[in-house]
Amino acid sequence: MTVKQLAANAKAAAIKLAAKKEADKNKALAAIAKTLQENSDAIISANQKDLEKAELDNLDKPLLKRLKFDQSKIDTVCSGIESLIKLEEPVGKTLCATELDNGLELYKVSCPLGVVGVIFESRPDALVQISTLCLKSGNSALLKGGSEAMNTNRILAKLISEASIEVGIPDGWINLLETRDDVSAMLDLDEYIDLIVPRGSNEFVQYIMKNTNIAVMGHADGICHVYIDDQADLGMALDIAVDSKCQYPAVCNAAETLLINRAIAPDFLPALKAALETQNCELRGDSGVLEIINAKAASEKDWATEYLDYIVSVKLVDSMQEAIDHINKYGSGHTDAIVTANKDRARDFMTLVDSGDVFWNASTRFSDGFRYGLGAEVGISTNKIHARGPVGLEGLLIYKWKLIGNGHIVSDYSSGKKAFTHEKLKKDCTI
Amino acid sequence: MTVKQLAANAKAAAIKLAAKKEADKNKALAAIAKTLQENSDAIISANQKDLEKAELDNLDKPLLKRLKFDQSKIDTVCSGIESLIKLEEPVGKTLCATELDNGLELYKVSCPLGVVGVIFESRPDALVQISTLCLKSGNSALLKGGSEAMNTNRILAKLISEASIEVGIPDGWINLLETRDDVSAMLDLDEYIDLIVPRGSNEFVQYIMKNTNIAVMGHADGICHVYIDDQADLGMALDIAVDSKCQYPAVCNAAETLLINRAIAPDFLPALKAALETQNCELRGDSGVLEIINAKAASEKDWATEYLDYIVSVKLVDSMQEAIDHINKYGSGHTDAIVTANKDRARDFMTLVDSGDVFWNASTRFSDGFRYGLGAEVGISTNKIHARGPVGLEGLLIYKWKLIGNGHIVSDYSSGKKAFTHEKLKKDCTI
């Protein structure tokens, strides 16, 4: 089948899937967990093929580790499915209810988007997580995983499709794409696809964003900052700076640049340098920094670089405003933190920094769907529309307006025979 | 200034505007209404120039009427501004609050999008409405009006800008674009512009959607349907059908196609024909219709046509499912209604029709921000993300996550020293 046909089928399936009840979707999720366990030998053996090919291709160790899908990974994804089953049903929630007039009631009710295209990295667990998130939220999925995981992804998609269809989920809701050409074809299918979620490298995400008219939810860069104010508790500032940079530097919510108020730099920088050295973290400073401590010099390029590594750039600023301006210029709108004891400054910083996540006296590393308690994370978005920051299931939902009347017509209102009441109602939509 | 420079300035202004308090924005709105009244002579005289040129250019009557901006139009937009002042402040609302751990609190707080580009029709009142909606919601605006209204738009934009800046709104928040080249330039500025709202013809909106990577909120077609079930009250069905088509056919929420259950067609069609004739509305029927009444034949093309006129296509269907399939195939995802006395059917119809607005026993013409009680309408969206159906101020808003800690770091949680509580909080963010 062509990608266009797959997408058309996915759209037809999505219409039916949107009408599925909570119990039906949870039954399918349970069936998926069951089939994954029952077929664990076949999954592990398919994964073995992928691993062998990857070793022959000399893939590097971290990639091999992410590619591996053993019994413990199967247990983990199945326990993720159990959690998903327990999550509150996201579809059919009444978000707002208004009486327009006697007997004419308007409800804003959550519903699935329709068809979601997800392009993800080499971890096969991502396929299970994403497809089950789509199912829980009533969406059809077009999935493109890493080509290294082809055999594993094939058996996973087949098992998930078969188990769910057997308990009544419409055929065509889950589809595996396998080639780059498939992805290119998908980018043109705005007639069928409602949202694309790309996960992967900066360049890849930017490529997707530039080459489709379909809405894209995701983030390219994660250039996060910590600003250390002259009214900061310096012990706290040190802990937050080190945690933000070093707790796990390979991820988008790790800090790349520390902005330090010049007034406290002489006290703070030597302690910072010592702390970073214990983490083997390289420090690149601007001229002000280099006057106080020995370090490598930072260039203009450093302020715009996502190291994703044990490297941090450090700049002195004369004021909080200078820090805010730097962040809004070089940042990626992801996560930025201020350390200060001054509440008014914290408020201004959090208002004026134009990022999805703005933190006061906390590490940037908290910017994450699980830490936020969202229950599940679809991705992190630096978009300004639809969903921003860590995105849970609500990123896969929209709403529709349901108007329930009893023969109401507009000419009665334009003629003045009737008038709108526009009373807020405190009740849920029952149809 | 180039459009790029205007957009960069608009972005800088948007950062400051996002921090403006409700009172400051309302003060500016009041100042705008005042200056429009005080300068009404100059506005009317600028409009006179536009009208004279339009007459020389032989613009048609309806366009001239829309272009006219007299004292009564000034009074209307000023009374719109008064209503806007009274609307609840949309920025800074706490949408969700969670305790992640003792002393670590997460708030999801509404905030402006940033910079909004709006391309609108020849009515100069649209400039006032859109710019004040942007101001109330804390957004900068790039505005491109109809070229016929150039003189009127120039003086309006100048007065609005001056009056608002004088009371402290940041310079650069409102910008007038004047040429098609300006619009083309705007479409490339995804670095600065967060949302484009195009209003105008189907072809124009589709052109915008296809030619930018910026998010676009709007609708191209409005192909709305009324399905008349075999369990409908036929008197009610007739009223709703006629109102949906004829109450004001030139708009997107007017019905274009009636789908009639074959079982009731012999009873319903003659009455429908008679009622439409009193409205001088042409009826185009499929073969089943023509077997029962005399009418023009509908072709395949009719099902996909937005007449925006006193013409309606009518098709017989064997079942509600056939009606749903027709709507999902030919409709534009705008507004579709069912007339039936059967609640279960109404529920299924409203779930399975993939449109932003689904109505039971009510005219499609209710699909409108003012009738919905939204307070103000930014536009109608057939998007599946961000905002759908009639969109009020909330379409110009997004949210940011504010995390307030006391030195919290992630390594304490990954080491197991601390654990997340994830308790929902019932309080508003105070910073």
Side-chain angles (χ1 to χ4, degrees), chain B residues 1-193:
Chain B
M1 250 194 285
T2 65
V3 176
K4 187 169 178 177
Q5 286 166 324
L6 286 180
N9 289 351
K11 176 141 187 163
I15 302 279
K16 295 181 204 154
L17 185 50
K20 286 290 169 193
K21 297 272 180 298
E22 176 176 14
D24 298 326
K25 292 187 286 183
N26 284 342
K27 195 174 159 193
L29 289 169
I32 290 168
K34 187 158 171 274
T35 197
L36 293 180
Q37 287 294 4
E38 285 174 358
N39 294 281
S40 58
D41 288 348
I43 296 168
I44 291 164
S45 130
N47 185 246
Q48 203 56 41
K49 277 193 215 163
D50 287 330
L51 286 170
E52 281 160 18
K53 177 154 192 315
E55 284 190 53
L56 283 176
D57 292 349
N58 271 321
L59 263 65
D60 65 8
K61 280 259 162 60
L63 193 61
L64 285 173
K65 197 174 157 196
R66 286 199 293 275
L67 183 55
K68 188 167 183 177
F69 198 66
D70 55 10
Q71 185 61 49
S72 122
K73 291 271 184 77
I74 294 175
D75 292 345
T76 305
V77 296
C78 287
S79 110
I81 294 174
E82 298 301 328
S83 311
L84 203 53
I85 290 173
K86 285 179 202 135
L87 268 194
E88 192 189 358
E89 168 64 17
V91 174
K93 272 193 200 171
T94 299
L95 307 173
C96 173
T98 315
E99 182 201 82
L100 303 193
D101 190 11
N102 189 15
L104 185 64
E105 293 181 354
L106 178 70
Y107 298 91
K108 187 177 176 182
V109 180
S110 68
C111 66
L113 289 178
V115 180
V116 181
V118 188
I119 309 155
F120 54 97
E121 59 277 30
S122 54
R123 296 186 303 110
D125 21 343
L127 185 145
V128 182
Q129 286 157 357
I130 294 161
S131 60
T132 52
L133 284 169
C134 285
L135 179 54
K136 180 79 179 187
S137 56
N139 288 285
S140 287
L142 298 180
L143 305 171
K144 167 68 173 72
S147 53
E148 314 80 26
M150 191 182 72
N151 289 295
T152 322
N153 286 339
R154 277 184 186 168
I155 187 168
L156 288 173
K158 183 168 171 283
L159 290 169
I160 292 170
S161 176
E162 287 172 356
S164 55
I165 291 167
E166 195 173 312
V167 297
I169 300 299
D171 195 0
W173 78 274
I174 174 172
N175 304 276
L176 197 60
L177 308 186
E178 297 211 325
T179 66
R180 278 166 186 252
D181 286 349
D182 288 351
V183 173
S184 297
M186 178 168 81
L187 300 184
D188 290 331
L189 297 173
D190 51 340
E191 184 185 354
Y192 302 113
I193 301 174

Side-chain angles (χ1 to χ4, degrees), chain A residues 10 124 142 188 220 290 344 423:
Chain A
L142 298 180
D188 289 331
L290 302 189
D344 290 338
E423 298 276 344

Side-chain angles (χ1 to χ4, degrees), chain A residues 227 259 317 319-328 349 353:
Chain A
Y227 165 61
L259 300 165
V317 292
S319 65
M320 182 175 79
Q321 187 60 52
E322 191 185 338
I324 292 167
D325 291 343
H326 179 99
I327 294 170
N328 286 338
F349 179 91
V353 166

Side-chain angles (χ1 to χ4, degrees), chain B residues 324-365:
Chain B
I324 292 167
D325 292 342
H326 179 99
I327 294 170
N328 286 337
K329 179 173 179 188
Y330 293 103
S332 56
H334 193 299
T335 301
D336 301 288
I338 180 172
V339 186
T340 185
N342 184 319
K343 184 175 177 174
D344 289 336
R345 287 204 192 160
R347 179 190 292 120
D348 286 345
F349 179 90
M350 292 165 98
T351 303
L352 294 168
V353 166
D354 186 23
S355 297
D357 304 75
V358 283
F359 293 0
W360 178 25
N361 291 345
S363 166
T364 59
R365 290 274 297 117

Side-chain angles (χ1 to χ4, degrees), chain A residues 134-165:
Chain A
C134 285
L135 178 54
K136 180 81 180 187
S137 57
N139 288 285
S140 288
L142 298 180
L143 305 172
K144 167 69 173 71
S147 53
E148 314 81 26
M150 191 182 72
N151 290 295
T152 321
N153 286 339
R154 278 184 185 169
I155 186 168
L156 289 173
K158 183 169 172 281
L159 290 169
I160 292 171
S161 176
E162 287 172 355
S164 55
I165 291 166

Side-chain angles (χ1 to χ4, degrees), chain A residues 113 190 210 243 343 350 353 356 358 360-361 371 384 386 388 399-401 403 405 407 410-411 422 431, chain B residues 113 190 210 243 343 350 353 356 358 360-361 371 384 386 388 400-401 403 405 407 410-411 422 431:
Chain A
L113 289 177
D190 50 340
K210 291 282 175 202
D243 192 81
K343 184 174 178 175
M350 292 164 98
V353 166
V358 283
W360 177 25
N361 292 346
R371 292 182 194 129
K384 294 291 274 290
H386 190 57
R388 196 178 191 200
Y399 52 81
K400 65 204 304 185
W401 297 92
L403 181 66
V410 164
S411 66
H422 290 149
I431 85 157
Chain B
L113 289 178
D190 51 340
K210 291 281 175 204
D243 191 81
K343 184 175 177 174
M350 292 165 98
V353 166
V358 283
W360 178 25
N361 291 345
R371 291 180 193 129
K384 294 289 275 290
H386 189 59
R388 197 178 190 199
K400 65 203 307 184
W401 298 92
L403 181 65
V410 164
S411 66
H422 289 149
I431 83 156

